[in-house]
Amino acid sequence: MSNGNRGTGLDEATTAELERSVSLLTAVTDAMATASSAPDTESTTADDVCDALVASDVFDCAWIGRIDESNEITPFAWAGVETVETDPVLAITTSEETSGDSPLASALRANEVFTKSADESTKLVVPLHRDDSVVGVLVADVGGKLDVGDPLSTALSNLADVIAASIGSDDSAAQKRDSTTHERDSKTHERDETTARRQLRAIFESSFEFLCLLEPDGTVLRVNDAALQFGDHERDEIIGQSVWETPWWHGHESRKSDLKEAISRAARGEFVRYVVEFETGGDEDATIVDFSLSPVFDDDGEVILLVSEGHDITAQRERAQDLQRERERLEFMNRILRHNLLNGLNVVGARADILRDFVAEDGEPHLETIQHRVEEMTELVGTMRTFMKAIVEGETQEFDSRSLRESVESCVERVEAESPNVSVSLGGIPPISVRADELLDEVVENLLKNAIQHNDKPVPEVSVEAAAGDETVELWISDNGPGVPDEQKRKIVEKSIEELSNPGSGFGLFLVREIVESYGGGIRIDDNDPEGATFVVELPRT
């Protein structure tokens, strides 16, 4: 029988031992290569080393522990075993005497790789040094006895250096990441603050309002161009002055006193607003300014700045005064119609009724004409009074809730009494209320009369229905008349007062629109099916 080792002169035991040493060296070298190529982090390097050692089939298990400031070992990576808590190495701390025969004590005492063999395995302990300090330990179990020679010892020392260098790198990397993140966040915060300051400066300078930035004591820190142009002042004569000493506030001690009081209140955290009149000089009238002071607080709730703002409301005040004068004129005309013209018509109508007993038969047509014209004029005066009430009180009127059903039913009842030859059908009117006032009856009655007056049928037919939505209700008043051409629909409901040839021509619909729009509603004309027109009034619900 031939012997494969005969040419080497080595027996089988020696050859097996050499092969085992080569396998150990190869396993450690592979682990070294794995550790060197792993990311420079503690956990990744340690895990890869343990996995590489056990994967070689030479090492039964391996684990790596960190030695902390209290000299205790804390395993943080292992392979080939579910837990390392039972390993006897963990029973030793580096602060204990190193004179014992434990693998760790022996390794630390010798400051080199140490092995301790039992009958069937060898405990391998490799101290991990960095900067002359022991920072950790590599522990591995090898089957059988093990004698660590120079090549294997050198390889283990190199592997230990790589592992030791990675211990604590997670913390360093985290610190570096934290530092980088903090630096990035600081730069971002600084950039955001710069952008915000630029935006605020742009808003401050481009505003058409008169803006000043003040100290809580009233000292002017900044003023925008609009404020400087108001009075044609220079920035140098404003900045650093107490605001009440600036040219804008010259001339009236009471105005200065009011400003000082306002600044005192704003400095205590109160928002202050009032109207001020400024004389701009020359022949121009005074400028009326809506003036306010807004406090700016720091994180502790202390007032650190005041923002003064002025808005020129001169034109608005003038328009308001013009409107007030118009309302007063209309109210005067309303009183004339109500007390003079209407009373005069009532007297004429009463005298005409008396004359009926004294007029001959051939004079009765003339008397009837008088009475008819008195009725028309009385109705027109009533319409004009309603119109002026809507105009005069429209902007200040306080609307309330009105029952739509009650208004429609009362109006239908009156129209049927006045026009017995008209057929009025009342459909479903939901029991809801709308935002309106007593003029709602004028709206409904005008639309009913309009449907009758412009109807060309022998028996005019009018139907009234309503449907409620979530926020509004639509009232439909339909007729069987000739209808309204599409091109005329909008013109009829959008006719301006200048387009009315006389108060009796389309004035009723004009009045309806004015009243409905004052409620916040609207009106339109649709086609009725199969014929005629439908006037749709939309009213807000309450």
Side-chain angles (χ1 to χ4, degrees):
M1 179 180 295
S2 63
N3 190 335
N5 296 323
R6 183 174 299 170
T8 64
L10 300 176
D11 57 24
E12 292 183 0
T14 303
T15 300
E17 185 64 25
L18 286 173
E19 291 177 349
R20 185 166 178 267
S21 297
V22 170
S23 297
L24 284 167
L25 182 60
T26 300
V28 173
T29 302
D30 290 344
M32 174 71 179
T34 299
S36 299
S37 62
D40 190 20
T41 60
E42 174 186 288
S43 57
T44 303
T45 300
D47 287 337
D48 289 346
V49 168
C50 292
D51 290 340
L53 291 176
V54 174
S56 67
D57 294 330
V58 178
F59 292 90
D60 295 332
C61 66
W63 60 271
I64 297 174
R66 184 189 305 107
I67 297 177
D68 58 23
E69 295 178 354
S70 61
N71 296 318
E72 293 186 355
I73 302 173
T74 303
F76 63 91
W78 56 84
V81 63
E82 292 184 2
T83 178
V84 297
E85 293 180 356
T86 58
D87 195 300
V89 173
L90 290 177
I92 305 297
T93 66
T94 57
S95 61
E96 294 182 7
E97 292 293 335
T98 58
S99 57
D101 59 353
S102 71
L104 178 60
S106 300
L108 294 177
R109 183 172 59 250
N111 198 24
E112 60 184 16
V113 177
F114 179 80
T115 60
K116 183 176 182 179
S117 299
D119 295 336
E120 299 181 357
S121 65
T122 298
K123 180 74 71 176
L124 175 69
V125 180
V126 183
L128 306 178
H129 293 86
R130 186 178 68 225
D131 298 332
D132 299 328
S133 298
V134 179
V135 295
V137 62
L138 165 64
V139 179
D141 287 348
V142 183
K145 295 183 178 181
L146 175 64
D147 183 15
V148 180
D150 289 340
L152 181 59
S153 177
T154 300
L156 287 170
S157 295
N158 292 335
L159 177 61
D161 290 341
V162 174
I163 299 173
S166 71
I167 291 179
S169 61
D170 284 353
D171 295 337
S172 298
Q175 292 173 358
K176 185 177 181 180
R177 285 194 302 272
D178 290 344
S179 176
T180 302
T181 300
H182 177 72
E183 182 178 358
R184 184 174 62 250
D185 290 344
S186 297
K187 290 182 178 179
T188 301
H189 181 68
E190 182 178 351
R191 184 169 59 251
D192 290 344
E193 282 191 339
T194 301
T195 301
R197 284 194 296 269
R198 289 174 178 172
Q199 292 173 341
L200 288 174
R201 189 180 302 114
I203 294 172
F204 186 85
E205 294 298 341
S206 63
S207 175
F208 291 106
E209 312 297 333
F210 312 143
L211 297 178
C212 286
L213 196 62
L214 312 175
E215 294 276 13
D217 64 359
T219 303
V220 180
L221 298 175
R222 184 185 292 273
V223 58
N224 74 340
D225 292 339
L228 292 174
Q229 292 168 6
F230 177 58
D232 194 21
H233 302 301
E234 296 295 330
R235 201 178 302 274
D236 292 342
E237 63 179 318
I238 303 298
I239 302 298
Q241 299 291 323
S242 296
V243 65
W244 53 81
E245 297 297 340
T246 57
W248 300 304
W249 299 87
H250 288 171
H252 290 280
E253 291 302 321
S254 61
R255 192 165 59 195
K256 285 187 179 183
S257 177
D258 291 342
L259 177 60
K260 291 179 181 179
E261 174 62 24
I263 289 176
S264 176
R265 290 165 56 192
R268 296 194 296 270
E270 182 181 349
F271 172 75
V272 183
R273 182 180 183 182
Y274 62 102
V275 174
V276 187
E277 286 191 12
F278 293 94
E279 296 80 15
T280 55
D283 297 330
E284 298 182 8
D285 295 332
T287 300
I288 304 173
V289 175
D290 180 0
F291 180 75
S292 64
L293 287 165
S294 302
V296 179
F297 302 91
D298 62 11
D299 293 338
D300 297 325
E302 297 295 326
V303 177
I304 56 174
L305 292 171
L306 300 179
V307 178
S308 74
E309 179 179 357
H311 176 57
D312 186 351
I313 60 171
T314 307
Q316 296 177 7
R317 281 294 183 92
E318 290 176 350
R319 286 195 297 270
Q321 291 172 356
D322 290 342
L323 288 174
Q324 180 60 32
R325 284 193 291 268
E326 288 298 321
R327 282 195 292 267
E328 290 172 355
R329 292 191 187 102
L330 287 172
E331 179 59 30
F332 176 70
M333 292 298 299
N334 193 21
R335 286 199 302 268
I336 291 177
L337 289 173
R338 184 169 63 250
H339 295 294
N340 297 69
L341 183 57
L342 188 58
N343 287 340
L345 288 173
N346 289 334
V347 172
V348 172
R351 294 296 187 269
D353 292 338
I354 294 174
L355 286 176
R356 180 172 294 278
D357 296 334
F358 302 95
V359 174
E361 184 176 347
D362 56 352
E364 287 184 357
H366 301 292
L367 180 60
E368 289 176 357
T369 299
I370 293 173
Q371 290 176 320
H372 179 67
R373 293 298 294 169
V374 168
E375 290 175 358
E376 286 183 346
M377 292 299 295
T378 301
E379 184 177 347
L380 178 58
V381 170
T383 302
M384 292 299 296
R385 289 173 58 193
T386 301
F387 169 71
M388 283 188 285
K389 178 179 176 63
I391 297 299
V392 172
E393 299 181 1
E395 296 184 2
T396 59
Q397 174 73 2
E398 292 290 336
F399 300 112
D400 53 17
S401 293
R402 291 274 170 167
S403 169
L404 182 62
R405 175 185 287 179
E406 290 179 5
S407 179
V408 169
E409 288 177 347
S410 63
C411 290
V412 168
E413 184 178 345
R414 286 196 298 271
V415 169
E416 286 180 329
E418 296 175 3
S419 306
N421 63 328
V422 174
S423 173
V424 180
S425 61
L426 190 57
I429 307 295
I432 59 176
S433 297
V434 295
R435 180 177 179 267
D437 57 12
E438 69 273 9
L439 295 182
L440 179 60
D441 287 1
E442 294 285 344
V443 171
V444 179
E445 193 165 337
N446 265 288
L447 291 176
L448 289 172
K449 290 181 178 179
N450 181 78
I452 296 170
Q453 292 171 359
H454 295 88
N455 200 308
D456 57 354
K457 299 297 190 296
V459 179
E461 295 179 0
V462 181
S463 64
V464 184
E465 296 179 280
D470 292 337
E471 297 182 357
T472 61
V473 58
E474 285 192 347
L475 176 67
W476 305 320
I477 298 180
S478 306
D479 61 63
N480 63 338
V484 179
D486 291 341
E487 64 272 13
Q488 295 294 321
K489 286 185 172 70
R490 291 191 61 181
K491 290 183 179 180
I492 290 176
V493 296
E494 295 181 2
K495 185 177 293 186
S496 67
I497 194 167
E498 291 82 4
E499 296 175 295
L500 299 176
S501 58
N502 63 74
S505 176
F507 192 81
L509 291 179
F510 177 82
L511 178 61
V512 166
R513 189 192 72 193
E514 290 294 315
I515 296 173
V516 170
E517 289 183 351
S518 73
Y519 297 159
I523 183 171
R524 70 176 188 272
I525 303 175
D526 292 341
D527 291 328
N528 187 28
D529 186 23
E531 59 180 349
T534 298
F535 282 75
V536 182
V537 177
E538 184 180 40
L539 298 169
R541 296 185 59 175
T542 57

